[in-house]
Amino acid sequence: MAIGCVHSCDCIAVLLTDSAPRTLTAFTAFSVGTATARNMGTVLATRFISGFFSAGIQALGPASLPALFERHQIAVPFTVSAIAPFLGPSIGPLVGGYVTQYTGSWRAINWVAVGFAGVMALLSLLVRLSIQQCSER
């Protein structure tokens, strides 16, 4: 299922697709800060700031879906975006326990988050570029 052109002038969708690469990049940068922190104060500060940058995408992501997909294509993307907030608390401890047990470091789970966030930042940039190409047509 491909993302179609933006079908309406939805301000939230345009704002989200414009800001998603920046906020995900900031989230990634502060997650690197968490993984390399030397003291608890730095861990708390970088976790708070990275959470600040990721909260908008989680809250506004589903609101942008009607502007990105055709009416007959929206069921699967909306279902995935509705399930995603529940996957973190349910799968996160399993992944975190596995990574921490086999690497021996709590920092490794932050590097997993950095990798995932970096991939998501690149994907959001590709979506943004796709939308810009559609709007130029």
Side-chain angles (χ1 to χ4, degrees):
M1 179 170 21
I3 295 177
C5 295
V6 176
H7 300 288
S8 65
C9 186
D10 189 355
C11 297
I12 292 174
V14 171
L15 178 65
L16 185 63
T17 55
D18 275 350
S19 66
R22 288 185 294 242
T23 57
L24 282 170
T25 302
F27 172 76
T28 304
F30 284 104
S31 293
V32 169
T34 303
T36 60
R38 299 279 183 219
N39 57 40
M40 186 56 77
T42 305
V43 170
L44 292 175
T46 54
R47 289 284 294 161
F48 175 80
I49 296 170
S50 66
F52 176 79
F53 280 109
S54 67
I57 291 174
Q58 187 175 3
L60 297 176
S64 68
L65 293 177
L68 297 174
F69 292 94
E70 295 283 344
R71 184 175 211 126
H72 66 280
Q73 296 176 325
I74 200 161
V76 172
F78 190 74
T79 303
V80 169
S81 71
I83 291 173
F86 300 104
L87 290 178
S90 60
I91 296 176
L94 295 173
V95 173
Y98 178 79
V99 170
T100 304
Q101 180 179 356
Y102 289 103
T103 62
S105 172
W106 62 269
R107 294 177 191 274
I109 193 64
N110 291 307
W111 289 113
V112 171
V114 167
F116 182 73
V119 169
M120 291 295 111
L122 289 174
L123 288 176
S124 68
L125 182 62
L126 292 175
V127 168
R128 180 177 176 210
L129 293 174
S130 172
I131 290 172
Q132 284 177 346
Q133 288 177 350
C134 287
S135 64
E136 291 173 359
R137 291 181 194 167

